[in-house]
Amino acid sequence: MSGGDQRLNHRLAAAQPSATYRVMDRVAQRRDQGHRVLSLCAGEPDFDTPQHIRQAAIAAIEAGHTRYTPVAGLRALREAIADKYRVENGLSVSWQDTQVSSGGKQVIFNALAATLNDGDEVIIPAPYWVSYPEMVQLCGGRSRMVTCGADCGFKLTAASLRAAIGPHTRWLILNSPSNPTGAVYSREELHALAEVLLEHPSVLILSDDIYEHLIFDGRPFHTLAQVEPRLAERTLTMNGVSKAYAMTGWRIGFATGPRWLLDAMEKLQGQQTSGACSISQHAAVAALRGPKNFLDESREVFQRRRDLMVAMINDTPGLYCAVPQGAFYAFADCAALLGKYSPGGRALHSDEDVALALLEEANVAVVPGSAFGLAGYIRIAYALNDDALSHACLAIQQFCRAVR
Ligand code: GLU
């Protein structure tokens, strides 16, 4: 139906739809048309949720745990989350210092919506996850992108933070391991950023730790509030079960942070979605309290795939990628393909052209780097079984070898 007054809210009208979902939708359309697409676009583990977690959800349904929960989450889950932060991250957290939302996205959105006023700036190191700037826009803030190129390992340095931070800064968003580059901040690097942040007491920090358990080569994980406890009172340390426990569809994200901020986020959520799905919350308790061997197993699998992916990408004319230290993304430089023609005769002016040509000519889906704030790259998610992954890499190689 059309007609009527179709004016939208001005903040929504100025925001972009999620770039990752846009590519996923395009893949679905091509599959509906009968194409066999190998998808390297979705940022989600391809494994099934572990059996004991699924069983806990079934048991929750059978036991009748199907009603509203408290807005901030079930106490049993909040206790498990507090224990997780204490044991895994060395943060001194009680269950009242935690909050549960419907996915990590809602945690971030709640935090920004609860605190941003017109003119407030959010520092976002680029490349960044596609939704950060759009959420800032929707919440009335202004994104201040700081380009962190390959020369600095795609990481924010103290010097570039110092140059960007100022009286209008309300938040800094940190994401380690990073989506889309897999970059991981060391303790020393976080420490250097903390030194700058300590000079700016009104700045809040969002530490998006969603890929915490996907770090390779035995590297340790560090989160800002642990590295610099003096920042804990203004850091929201966010996480979830999606990536670690292959639970993307269950929609459980959580956070710990200062009580005033959590209270404001709870107020917002209470007027919006209320508590997260009761069944998913019971499943998340099983995930956090249950055996941890799944984490080691999936890390090993992803590390093996990373090695396969990086070797094949770096054996592809026109593509190059550094070895990612975590998450399940390779951020490949495709600049050498630009200005040329695809095998099907398309002019490749941008990374978007490369991604589109790969999809339509090679049936491989990737996300263009410009969606993440850094042009000349493509993000390749290697959350796909080894066989499909090698096929996808071979198709990319064949495509690139035929670029003229
Ligand atoms: N975070 C994942 C990605 O970047 C999931 C999709 C999304 O929410 O953007 O692909």
Side-chain angles (χ1 to χ4, degrees):
M1 269 191 278
S2 60
D5 183 346
Q6 299 187 7
R7 270 176 303 169
L8 295 175
N9 168 273
H10 67 282
R11 290 177 180 169
L12 180 68
Q16 297 299 317
S18 162
T20 42
Y21 273 88
R22 222 171 33 218
V23 181
M24 288 191 251
D25 289 347
R26 221 179 272 154
V27 170
Q29 275 166 19
R30 275 190 73 77
R31 285 182 176 152
D32 286 348
Q33 291 160 4
H35 297 280
R36 215 183 134 256
V37 181
L38 291 164
S39 175
L40 303 174
C41 67
E44 66 174 339
D46 54 310
F47 314 123
D48 289 333
T49 303
Q51 174 73 9
H52 69 280
I53 301 175
R54 285 184 274 152
Q55 283 309 323
I58 293 166
I61 296 173
E62 298 294 356
H65 298 314
T66 51
R67 299 178 192 280
Y68 291 134
T69 72
V71 172
L74 290 170
R75 175 150 176 185
L77 177 54
R78 296 174 73 191
E79 284 174 349
I81 292 167
D83 284 348
K84 173 254 175 300
Y85 280 124
R86 275 198 300 266
V87 173
E88 294 182 356
N89 307 117
L91 300 178
S92 97
V93 169
S94 70
W95 68 272
Q96 293 98 329
D97 304 313
T98 68
Q99 196 165 104
V100 181
S101 295
S102 301
K105 264 180 168 162
Q106 193 181 22
V107 174
I108 303 170
F109 198 99
N110 282 348
L112 296 173
T115 52
L116 286 179
N117 285 301
D118 290 342
D120 283 348
E121 284 186 359
V122 179
I123 296 180
I124 306 181
Y128 45 73
W129 175 47
V130 295
S131 289
Y132 297 143
E134 305 308 328
M135 288 188 188
V136 170
Q137 153 67 25
L138 288 169
C139 296
R142 279 201 315 245
S143 296
R144 171 115 195 210
M145 317 300 190
V146 180
T147 301
C148 307
D151 51 330
C152 48
F154 301 113
K155 288 185 264 189
L156 182 69
T157 61
S160 47
L161 174 60
R162 196 181 291 284
I165 206 164
H168 299 297
T169 310
R170 188 66 177 122
W171 283 93
L172 162 69
I173 299 184
L174 286 176
N175 173 218
S176 171
S178 144
N179 175 3
T181 65
V184 175
Y185 285 76
S186 68
R187 174 182 280 279
E188 294 67 36
E189 285 162 343
L190 288 175
H191 212 267
L193 296 177
E195 292 290 307
V196 180
L197 290 163
L198 285 170
E199 295 165 22
H200 297 269
S202 59
V203 175
L204 302 167
I205 305 106
L206 172 76
S207 181
D208 178 348
D209 297 356
I210 197 83
Y211 297 97
E212 166 181 10
H213 290 290
L214 288 169
I215 300 195
F216 310 129
D217 310 316
R219 263 169 217 278
F221 170 78
H222 300 288
T223 193
L224 189 71
Q226 181 186 22
V227 168
E228 180 43 89
R230 284 177 291 171
L231 290 175
E233 63 177 23
R234 52 190 169 103
T235 300
L236 187 71
T237 305
M238 173 254 154
N239 213 315
V241 292
S242 295
K243 315 290 183 182
Y245 299 95
M247 293 178 71
T248 49
W250 300 76
R251 310 310 302 134
I252 296 292
F254 53 80
T256 186
R259 290 259 178 111
W260 69 267
L261 177 59
L262 296 178
D263 288 347
M265 291 162 63
E266 181 180 350
K267 182 160 119 188
L268 184 67
Q269 187 168 301
Q271 296 295 8
Q272 191 198 29
T273 53
S274 304
C277 166
S278 58
I279 298 150
S280 297
Q281 290 193 59
H282 282 279
V285 173
L288 295 177
R289 293 278 188 219
K292 294 284 175 281
N293 47 334
F294 178 78
L295 298 178
D296 295 331
E297 285 158 21
S298 58
R299 187 184 308 110
E300 270 168 40
V301 170
F302 279 124
Q303 182 166 328
R304 192 182 66 230
R305 291 179 185 171
R306 175 204 63 175
D307 293 341
L308 170 83
M309 164 66 79
V310 171
M312 290 191 77
I313 291 298
N314 287 335
D315 194 26
T316 303
L319 292 183
Y320 167 75
C321 88
V323 181
Q325 300 159 344
F328 36 61
Y329 307 109
F331 203 55
D333 185 330
C334 66
L337 298 176
L338 305 186
K340 300 187 174 169
Y341 286 89
S342 72
R346 284 185 170 80
L348 302 175
H349 295 302
S350 64
D351 50 37
E352 277 126 342
D353 294 337
V354 172
L356 191 67
L358 273 170
L359 180 61
E360 298 198 345
E361 297 178 28
N363 276 319
V364 175
V366 299
V367 187
S370 34
F372 303 91
L374 199 63
Y377 288 83
I378 49 174
R379 187 192 78 171
I380 306 176
Y382 47 89
L384 207 63
N385 69 58
D386 294 19
D387 203 36
L389 194 60
S390 329
H391 274 95
C393 288
L394 284 172
I396 294 175
Q397 286 187 334
Q398 212 174 8
F399 172 95
C400 290
R401 290 204 171 108
V403 164
R404 293 286 171 264

